[in-house]
Amino acid sequence: GARPPLSPPTDDAMEGGAQQSSLWEPPEQEGGPAERDGGEGPPELRRSQPLFIHGSSRQPPQEEPRASSLPSIPNPFPELCSPSNSPILSSPALGQGPPREGTSHVVKVFGEDGACRSLEASAGTTARQLCETLVRRTRALHDHSWALVELHQHLALERCLEDHESVLEVQSSWAPGADSRFVFRKNFAKYELFKSSTLLFPEVMVSSCLEANKSMAHSELIQNFLNSGSCPEVQGFLHLREAGRKVWKRFHFSLRRSGLYYSTKGTSKDPRHLQYFADLTESNIYYVTQGKKLYGTPTEFGFCIK
């Protein structure tokens, strides 16, 4: 679901998880109910079977997610997720449904000049593959800065798709009739995390990790984290606007492996003062392009977690 847009005062902070348990009955044993032996004697009594608790966050394949079992979250961007324009997010997927394997769909991609091109894509077509096709069609200079951008004009939200993302899967999440589109344009910061990783983690935002590893240089510490497939704890101030309100409040945020948190008491990291805000493992980050105009953000830069 969508979260309210955030806006940092000077620095930007950047990931988490909650699991749901579901009850399901084990499949019936082969042979069906107990059979009678030649019709003699009483029928064999079938004992009740236990219920197993499935610890995964995914529902069993034979069940559909039940809206009643999910918490009602106020949605500040109903047009982005819900075709019925409901102010409440009651299910994780409210778009057109995932694309079926083996079927082709037409994807419309706009250029920066407003020209639209229609391409055929399958369920496995990735953003990178579509970009390579567009480079050939437009006879553009082939470099690694071309990107496919998901744009929601009515909400002033956009994000650059990652190379491995399925184009049709992203398109299927859009609400029918929404003013959403793909834009083909250059993004020179697309691979900045891999080229200048240490610059994205300034010392002031990873100070707690530096204190725990005083013998290690800042650049070495960051590189060790990235080489191990993890990130240091990132902290900093952000402005937060609660759903249904126009006032932005300044909070100290901490990005941990388990999620994004903010402190209700200054910069305190005491568990009693940390409020869970979002799980970023399955979320996307959208830039807010007209934050001051549409949302009254205190700074030009803002982002939304969906």
Side-chain angles (χ1 to χ4, degrees), residues 256 261-265 268-276:
R256 299 180 173 181
Y261 302 81
Y262 66 92
S263 177
T264 57
K265 187 177 181 181
S268 172
K269 292 186 178 181
D270 191 304
R272 295 173 300 175
H273 304 143
L274 288 181
Q275 179 70 39
Y276 176 80

Side-chain angles (χ1 to χ4, degrees), residues 236-240 242 249-253 262-264 266:
F237 284 96
L238 293 171
H239 285 98
L240 168 66
E242 298 180 12
K249 294 183 179 180
R250 190 171 181 260
F251 292 97
H252 189 264
F253 278 77
Y262 66 92
S263 177
T264 57

Side-chain angles (χ1 to χ4, degrees), residues 83-294:
S84 60
N85 293 330
S86 169
I88 298 296
L89 292 180
S90 57
S91 65
L94 291 172
Q96 305 168 15
R100 296 180 180 179
E101 292 289 344
T103 59
S104 296
H105 298 264
V106 174
V107 176
K108 292 184 178 181
V109 182
F110 292 81
E112 291 188 280
D113 58 357
C116 176
R117 288 180 172 82
S118 297
L119 298 92
E120 193 174 62
S122 64
T125 302
T126 63
R128 179 165 185 168
Q129 291 171 337
L130 202 66
C131 283
E132 291 174 347
T133 301
L134 286 165
V135 166
R136 291 193 300 268
R137 284 202 179 185
T138 58
R139 298 181 181 180
L141 179 64
H142 193 285
D143 58 34
H144 297 295
S145 60
W146 287 107
L148 196 64
V149 177
E150 178 187 2
L151 175 63
H152 301 277
Q153 297 183 100
H154 57 304
L155 299 174
L157 299 178
E158 66 176 42
R159 76 177 181 96
C160 177
L161 267 65
E162 297 184 41
D163 286 345
H164 66 274
E165 287 191 78
S166 167
V167 176
L168 291 184
E169 189 173 325
V170 174
Q171 183 175 264
S172 67
S173 67
W174 299 346
D179 189 13
S180 305
R181 60 174 60 181
F182 288 122
V183 178
F184 178 60
R185 70 183 185 210
K186 286 196 172 187
N187 179 8
F188 295 102
K190 185 177 179 181
Y191 300 112
E192 198 66 23
L193 176 63
F194 306 99
K195 295 178 181 178
S196 309
S197 54
T198 55
L199 298 179
L200 301 179
F201 297 94
E203 292 188 28
V204 67
M205 296 179 67
V206 293
S207 57
S208 59
C209 294
L210 290 173
E211 291 174 2
N213 300 271
K214 295 182 179 179
S215 61
M216 195 176 297
H218 169 249
S219 58
E220 184 182 359
L221 174 68
I222 298 302
Q223 199 58 52
N224 285 348
F225 269 109
L226 298 180
N227 291 341
S228 64
S230 60
C231 286
E233 179 178 327
V234 181
Q235 57 191 18
F237 284 96
L238 293 171
H239 285 98
L240 168 66
R241 191 189 74 173
E242 298 180 12
R245 297 190 178 184
K246 295 183 179 181
V247 179
W248 292 81
K249 294 183 179 180
R250 190 171 181 260
F251 292 97
H252 189 264
F253 278 77
S254 296
L255 178 59
R256 299 180 173 181
R257 189 175 302 179
S258 57
L260 182 64
Y261 302 81
Y262 66 92
S263 177
T264 57
K265 187 177 181 181
T267 59
S268 172
K269 292 186 178 181
D270 191 304
R272 295 173 300 175
H273 304 143
L274 288 181
Q275 179 70 39
Y276 176 80
F277 182 72
D279 171 11
L280 301 187
T281 56
E282 299 295 334
S283 303
N284 291 315
I285 308 298
Y286 289 80
Y287 292 103
V288 182
T289 58
Q290 301 179 48
K292 283 193 172 183
K293 180 179 179 181
L294 295 183

